[in-house]
Amino acid sequence: MRENADPASRPLTVADALALPVLAAGQPQVVTGVDRLDRPVRWVHITELTDPASFLKGGELVLTTGMPLPEEPAGVRRYVDELADVGAAALVIELVRRYHRPPDALVDACRARGLPLVTLAADVNFLEVTQVVHALLLGNQTHAMRRTQRIHEAFTALTLRGAVPGDVVRAAAEMSGRTVVLENLVHQALICEPSGSTVDEALTGWEQRSRAVPSRDRTEVCGGEGWLVAPVEYQGERWGRAVMLPSPARTGPSGFGPEDVTVLERTAMALTIARLIHTTPWERTAHRSALRDLAEQRHRSPEDARARFAALGLPTEDCGFLAVLVDTRAQDDRAQSAEGLLSEELRTAGVPALVGVLAPGRLGILLALRPGQAWRAMVERLSRTALALAPEAVVSVGSEVADLSDAARSFREAGRVAAAALPGLPLPEGRSFHELSDIGLRRLLYALREDIRVQDYAERQLGRLVDHDTRHGTDLLTTLRHYLEAAGNKTTTARRGNLSRETVYQRLRTIERLLDCDLESGEQRTELHVALAALDVMRAR
């Protein structure tokens, strides 16, 4: 049901009727109202009465030979006024019998009232015109009824399968071929499904534009931009609005037809039901979706991302951004619990941010920072709140970035920091969150512990020594650890292991033989030190 996919998907207009062969044969000429030929034609009415308006209901294409037109200008003006007042689509006069040019009084009156006046230079069978146009109108009505039924069936199916709000709005955009937006009462655009435009074009300056569009209790076209809006309710009260944006490609006073109204009304109804089924606040769902798309770089362009986040209420100009991750290390609802707590804490602190669950057990936070604003105290506060809820949680941060388009990098860095958070390693005094500077050798190896290359390296370097200890009940690996930690000092090694120097010498010779190495070599000691650190982190729990 996309735009211009089917000519029958729009009402028959005056221009359409004039293009029909049966009327085109009369050589029609538009005298007035050339800019109003997009008026819909509801019916055709042939009249030779001086007061035809009493038999009309609006939308008629009025056909006349001109015989009943009054002689005096006042009577002509009254005749035209009555047609315009009732809403006639256009007046078509045949210039064959009484007139060979339209009377000036008629032209002036039609121009004054904005009524299209069309003259026919050749004889036309009005009855045939009526038959052809009415057949088209009846066919269009039948087609429209079928399309309306399909719309109802589509939304009923969405409701029955428990569709989420994003599915409903997406279906509305696909059916109408227009951009559809769901906003809340504070004019934040939670969901935007663009059609024929970009998110940037649809949402730039959204709040200001939306506040200029009045809210109504029914579906109607409002505001200077001509938005079609429908109220969305929750538990009997207005919650927000579904908005259908006009398309420049459409014609007509508003560009919206009855089908568009039906689509948006059913959208609002389906959203109300979805709000009852899916209890998670839609603002939270919108924040999750936006953060996931940002972290995974799924936005079509940086402009789309900025427009979307601005429409959600996050500052995007003249500020920096910082990504924070909270990993609860558990597949339960603690990440969702933290989502609400941390969102409230940020609101209380007046820090602009979006908070959302990115994956099971992982919470993402995007902070918007003023130039030069210190963020460590705020992150520490958030970290302690998260740890109070989930003591085993890991809070990590990426680096601060100057543009929203770089925020994905900050999320990636925070993810690497979280992956390198080796259990048991202490953090600097007074800090409970992890950052890039914490990633030393052990944390780096811990992050890479599942990499087969790291595992193979540790096994090649130390496997024979570990096997020897296992078979013979020795503890050469510990002696090697003390030796490497003492930077090759044998006296320190003996003291740490409570061994005699002779015993240390003997054990080191055995290690050199088993590993085929020279422990006096600084490079080989470094290789073994790295391998031992890798073995330690792979054994860490």
Side-chain angles (χ1 to χ4, degrees), residues 393-475:
V394 171
V395 180
S396 56
V397 300
S399 58
E400 184 178 351
V401 296
D403 191 86
L404 186 65
S405 61
D406 295 322
R409 172 165 57 85
S410 187
F411 272 110
R412 287 195 301 270
E413 292 172 348
R416 289 199 293 269
V417 172
L422 177 61
L425 282 186
L427 286 165
E429 186 69 26
R431 176 153 65 81
S432 62
F433 61 89
H434 302 255
E435 55 183 318
L436 282 168
S437 60
D438 297 329
I439 301 180
L441 175 62
R442 289 184 178 274
R443 291 181 186 271
L444 177 62
L445 291 171
Y446 181 73
L448 300 174
R449 65 193 181 278
E450 295 181 358
D451 191 314
I452 190 172
R453 292 169 296 181
V454 175
Q455 296 174 5
D456 179 68
Y457 178 80
E459 183 63 21
R460 283 189 292 105
Q461 292 287 336
L462 298 173
R464 284 168 292 174
L465 189 60
V466 174
D467 290 343
H468 182 277
D469 280 346
T470 302
R471 287 196 306 270
H472 299 284
T474 55
D475 195 12

Side-chain angles (χ1 to χ4, degrees), residues 141-183:
Q141 290 173 9
T142 302
H143 192 65
M145 289 176 62
R146 290 173 180 166
R147 289 196 308 273
T148 300
Q149 181 63 27
R150 287 198 295 270
I151 292 171
H152 287 295
E153 290 172 353
F155 279 104
T156 299
L158 284 170
T159 300
L160 290 177
R161 73 166 185 255
V164 297
D167 294 335
V168 174
V169 175
R170 188 176 305 110
E174 290 175 352
M175 289 185 204
S176 63
R178 299 176 184 272
T179 297
V180 180
V181 179
L182 171 66
E183 68 168 13

Side-chain angles (χ1 to χ4, degrees), residues 163-221:
V164 297
D167 294 335
V168 174
V169 175
R170 188 176 305 110
E174 290 175 352
M175 289 185 204
S176 63
R178 299 176 184 272
T179 297
V180 180
V181 179
L182 171 66
E183 68 168 13
N184 60 13
L185 285 179
V186 294
H187 304 277
Q188 292 176 343
L190 304 184
I191 303 174
C192 174
E193 280 295 332
S195 181
S197 64
T198 64
V199 172
D200 177 29
E201 293 168 339
L203 295 186
T204 295
W206 178 264
E207 182 178 348
Q208 181 179 4
R209 292 160 58 204
S210 177
R211 290 186 181 278
V213 179
S215 295
R216 304 288 191 226
D217 293 329
R218 61 183 185 276
T219 304
E220 61 178 285
V221 177

Side-chain angles (χ1 to χ4, degrees), residues 1 18 101 144 174 241 265 406 443 466:
M1 207 174 299
L18 296 179
R101 57 183 298 272
E174 290 175 352
R241 298 190 299 187
E265 287 178 342
D406 295 322
R443 291 181 186 271
V466 174

